[in-house]
């Protein structure tokens, strides 16, 4: 089909796509008005087609080239009982008070499984107030800033598709009490989504390319793009957390201290897998480096191997909380940014898309998204650390709309934890035989983010005689 465009650059662009087997993009060119045509050409201009074609060839046409994984061994792990933790806490607190820490929320995902309209952070998770995930994190950060007597910048990585809504959310909610200049919201990059069968670029509607964020590894590129910002403020460490885990301890001083004491450049929290078949990536030592090995990549023998004490040898499950040394990512003062290349992975998801002048839908995955993962920089880290965390205290993700890792299970974990704090602080509370409070319960992080903080404000707490308990 001949596409008529005036401009020579546009002609070259159209020819490039047609010659690369992506001519279907212009199927409904005749039905588009001039602004839709311009929009389509501008979107195509943004895509590095050669790079995308290479990804398609390497991952979809031929089998991806997996370099053999050196025999993995369990990684050194700072256990929950490690006596270093107390000393580490002081060290971490000192670095935070010196203004060396920034926090980055990874909130660029599409959240297909949860299916919430709007950014995942705007999901109303809190059991009594119906407050959102964003609110919970913002109030935790507010509290940390107050306790530390310092400002801790909060970077929120969005993606082009949820950026505007996220910015609007924070404006509408007055940044949940944070200083707006300390909340920096910036989108990661995106790549076109590919038809799983034909290797073609998909469209989200007539004349519109379907884009998807390029994975949470995009956070590394975002940090690098903003190197001058971080350097000029004297920030040395970034704590990253994910939008779907309300139990993340923002900027955890103990974690930061362990990272510093160990001279680590990339530290990660891990929770112990108790079931060998739990489908979570685990930290492993391979050769000189740490890496995350996906459940499917770990051999049957390794998955089931146990230590003398009965614990799984490969149990350090990745829960996506990292402490990153900025010099590792940004290079030193000389200003040269290190390359840190990361491999691309394929995510297969089902998506509604526009093809051959009609909509297509599928219950099974029909599309491929190319993503990099933040932890893949581990292979270039001169020294990395894994720190064990308690699942009950730190990990209750909201991934699915029901069942495991859903709002329901996450709320239950939050309430169980808050109930334990109250009981430990000396307040009477009825629990069921699962340890769940019998009444719906919520504690605002503005008041307390842990039991020690709760004990300090006991005089401000009154428990109503009946009904839901909201402590704020
Ligand atoms: P998930 O792997 O759970 O992906 O992201 P998702 O897109 O949010 O959800 P599904 O798979 O479609 O249901 C884990 C974390 O990484 C962030 C997400 O926002 C979440 O905090 N993420 C993921 C990004 O920031 N960018 C991405 O490109 C992908």
């Amino acid at each position: 089909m001949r596409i008529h465009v005036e401009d020579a650059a546009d002609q070259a662009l159209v020819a490039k796509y047609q010659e690369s087997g992506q001519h279907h993009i212009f199927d409904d060119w005749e039905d588009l008005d001039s602004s839709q045509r311009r929009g389509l050409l501008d979107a195509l201009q943004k895509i590095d087609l050669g790079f995308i074609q290479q990804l398609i060839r390497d991952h979809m046409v031929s089998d991806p080239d997996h370099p053999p994984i050196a025999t993995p061994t369990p990684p050194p792990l700072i256990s929950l009982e490690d006596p270093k933790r107390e000393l580490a806490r002081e060290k971490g607190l000192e670095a935070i008070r010196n203004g060396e820490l920034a926090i980055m929320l990874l909130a660029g995902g599409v959240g297909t499984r949860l299916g919430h309209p709007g950014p995942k952070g705007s999901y109303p998770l809190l059991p009594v107030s119906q407050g959102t995930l964003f609110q919970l994190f913002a109030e935790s950060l507010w509290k940390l800033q107050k306790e530390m007597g310092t400002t801790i910048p909060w970077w929120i990585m969005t993606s082009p598709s949820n950026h505007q809504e996220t910015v609007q959310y924070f404006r509408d909610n007055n940044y949940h009490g944070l200083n707006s200049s300390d909340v920096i919201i910036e989108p990661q990059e995106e790549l076109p989504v590919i038809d799983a069968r034909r290797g073609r670029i998909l469209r989200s509607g007539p004349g519109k390319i379907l884009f998807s964020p390029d994975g949470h590894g995009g956070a590394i590129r975002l940090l690098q793009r903003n190197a001058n910002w971080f350097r000029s403020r004297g920030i040395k460490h970034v704590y990253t957390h994910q939008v779907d885990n309300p139990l993340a301890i923002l900027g955890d001083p103990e974690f930061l201290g362990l990272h510093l004491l160990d001279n680590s450049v990339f530290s990660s929290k891990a929770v112990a897998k108790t079931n060998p078949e739990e489908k979570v990536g685990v930290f492993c030592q391979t050769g000189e480096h740490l890496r995350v090995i996906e459940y499917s990549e770990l051999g049957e023998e390794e998955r089931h191997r146990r230590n003398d004490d009965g614990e799984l040898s490969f149990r350090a499950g990745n829960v996506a909380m990292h402490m990153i040394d900025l010099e590792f990512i940004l290079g030193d003062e000389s200003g040269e940014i290190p390359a840190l290349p990361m491999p691309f992975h394929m995510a297969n998801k089902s998506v509604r898309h526009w093809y051959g002048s009609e909509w297509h839908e599928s219950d099974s995955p029909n599309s491929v998204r190319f993503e990099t993962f933040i932890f893949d920089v581990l292979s270039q880290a001169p020294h990395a650390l894994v720190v064990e965390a308690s699942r009950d205290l730190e990990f209750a993700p909201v991934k699915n709309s029901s069942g495991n890792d859903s709002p329901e299970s996450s709320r239950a974990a939050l309430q169980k934890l808050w109930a334990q704090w109250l009981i430990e602080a000396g307040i009477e509370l009825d629990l069921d035989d699962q340890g769940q409070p019998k009444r719906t319960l919520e504690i605002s992080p503005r008041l307390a983010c842990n039991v020690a903080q709760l004990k300090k404000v006991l005089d401000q707490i009154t428990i109503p005689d009946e009904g839901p308990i909201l402590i704020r």
Side-chain angles (χ1 to χ4, degrees):
M1 178 181 172
R2 234 184 107 67
I3 304 298
H4 183 73
V5 280
E6 297 289 337
D7 182 81
D10 288 341
Q11 284 168 9
L13 185 70
V14 171
K16 186 167 76 169
Y17 277 85
Q18 289 189 317
E19 286 156 18
S20 311
Q22 302 288 355
H23 38 78
H24 65 288
I25 290 172
F26 306 104
D27 278 356
D28 42 18
W29 182 259
E30 293 306 324
D31 303 331
L32 303 180
D33 63 27
S34 59
S35 84
Q36 287 173 312
R37 288 178 178 181
R38 188 67 260 156
L40 177 59
L41 293 169
D42 289 347
L44 295 177
Q45 187 69 56
K46 275 196 333 201
I47 299 172
D48 181 345
L49 183 62
F51 176 66
I52 296 299
Q53 299 282 95
Q54 188 66 44
L55 284 177
I56 295 173
R57 272 196 298 279
D58 290 352
H59 293 261
M60 297 173 68
V61 178
S62 54
D63 249 355
D65 192 16
H66 289 305
I69 301 178
T71 311
T73 52
L77 189 66
I78 302 278
S79 71
L80 288 173
E81 300 79 32
D82 196 304
K84 271 208 294 280
R85 286 180 180 260
E86 199 44 51
L87 170 68
R89 198 180 143 69
E90 286 311 311
K91 184 128 182 111
L93 288 171
E94 190 187 315
I96 299 176
R97 285 195 194 103
N98 288 342
E100 294 174 14
L101 181 73
I103 294 180
M104 182 180 272
L105 171 63
L106 309 183
V110 277
T112 328
R113 286 169 287 173
L114 182 63
H116 168 63
K120 211 184 210 185
S122 67
Y123 186 86
L125 185 77
L126 295 177
V128 183
S129 67
Q130 303 298 308
T132 64
L133 282 157
F134 281 146
Q135 177 176 342
L136 186 79
F137 297 135
E139 293 189 353
S140 303
L141 182 56
W142 181 91
K143 181 73 176 173
L144 182 65
Q145 296 193 353
K146 192 153 188 289
E147 294 268 302
M148 296 291 103
T150 185
T151 297
I152 303 167
W154 193 26
W155 278 73
I156 300 179
M157 182 175 83
T158 56
S159 56
S161 59
N162 67 16
H163 180 72
Q164 271 320 323
E165 274 181 291
T166 305
V167 170
Q168 197 56 49
Y169 171 93
F170 276 95
R171 284 189 191 138
D172 291 348
N173 289 284
N174 228 350
Y175 295 81
H176 290 299
L178 293 170
N179 203 332
S180 62
S181 58
D182 300 332
V183 182
I184 303 103
I185 308 176
E186 195 171 306
Q188 64 179 112
E189 285 164 4
E190 57 185 3
L191 292 171
V193 180
I194 308 298
D195 178 338
R197 267 193 315 133
R198 289 171 281 226
R200 290 181 172 175
I201 292 173
L202 289 178
R203 282 166 296 163
S204 61
K208 286 193 177 142
I209 300 297
L210 179 60
F211 285 101
S212 167
D214 61 357
H216 44 61
I220 301 294
R221 294 181 283 278
L222 192 142
L223 288 171
Q224 293 189 324
R225 282 200 298 281
N226 291 286
N228 288 340
W229 190 98
F230 287 97
R231 287 203 188 106
S232 67
R233 278 164 179 78
I235 307 284
K236 296 187 178 158
H237 325 283
V238 174
Y239 167 90
T240 65
H241 65 121
Q242 298 198 335
V243 73
D244 50 29
N245 180 20
L247 291 188
I249 303 174
L250 265 60
D252 184 358
E254 188 180 281
F255 183 36
L256 174 57
L258 289 166
H259 168 85
L260 291 171
L261 288 176
D262 207 65
N263 291 319
S264 164
V265 302
F266 193 99
S267 302
S268 307
K269 290 216 181 170
V271 302
K273 268 178 74 166
T274 45
N275 171 1
E277 302 306 339
E278 186 185 344
K279 290 188 172 58
V280 59
V282 288
F283 290 96
C284 298
Q285 182 85 35
T286 58
E288 288 184 359
H289 294 285
L290 284 176
R291 59 171 287 174
V292 174
I293 298 195
E294 291 306 326
Y295 164 85
S296 53
E297 291 175 309
L298 195 65
E300 175 84 6
E301 191 278 320
E302 278 110 1
R303 268 208 308 266
H304 289 263
R305 193 187 303 165
R306 290 189 185 268
N307 302 338
D308 293 342
D309 59 8
E311 281 191 302
L312 288 170
S313 305
F314 291 93
R315 65 176 184 285
N318 176 26
V319 282
M321 288 170 266
H322 307 289
M323 193 65 78
I324 307 177
D325 173 60
L326 272 181
E327 197 171 312
F328 167 49
I329 304 298
L330 308 181
D332 60 22
E333 288 301 320
S334 70
E336 196 169 325
I337 307 279
L340 300 178
M342 285 186 273
F344 276 86
H345 303 260
M346 290 198 293
N348 300 293
K349 297 191 182 184
S350 72
V351 74
R352 183 169 190 255
H353 66 95
W354 180 254
Y355 193 90
S357 300
E358 58 185 36
W359 289 105
H360 290 254
E361 275 180 90
S362 162
D363 288 338
S364 56
N366 58 354
S367 74
V368 170
R369 295 160 196 248
F370 289 108
E371 300 186 336
T372 56
F373 297 159
I374 191 166
F375 51 74
D376 276 332
V377 289
L378 273 173
S379 65
Q380 292 154 85
H383 186 57
L385 179 71
V386 187
V387 175
E388 187 174 2
S390 152
R391 187 185 294 256
D392 289 348
L393 305 186
E394 300 196 36
F395 189 57
V398 181
K399 297 276 185 199
N400 306 310
S401 58
S402 59
N404 281 343
D405 297 344
S406 66
E408 196 188 350
S409 62
S410 186
R411 268 184 207 121
L414 277 167
Q415 296 191 79
K416 191 170 178 179
L417 184 64
W418 287 326
Q420 281 163 6
W421 293 355
L422 283 173
I423 290 170
E424 222 178 296
I427 292 183
E428 267 180 42
L429 209 62
D430 280 344
L431 304 180
D432 68 14
D433 48 12
Q434 307 292 316
Q436 289 294 340
K438 290 192 175 163
R439 291 161 64 190
T440 315
L441 168 63
E442 179 180 324
I443 300 180
S444 162
R446 272 179 90 96
L447 202 66
C449 294
N450 52 49
V451 68
Q453 290 173 355
L454 188 70
K455 283 179 180 168
K456 286 193 203 149
V457 293
L458 275 182
D459 55 339
Q460 297 172 33
I461 298 176
T462 32
I463 306 281
D465 293 338
E466 54 189 33
I469 306 170
L470 176 60
I471 298 177
R472 55 178 315 135

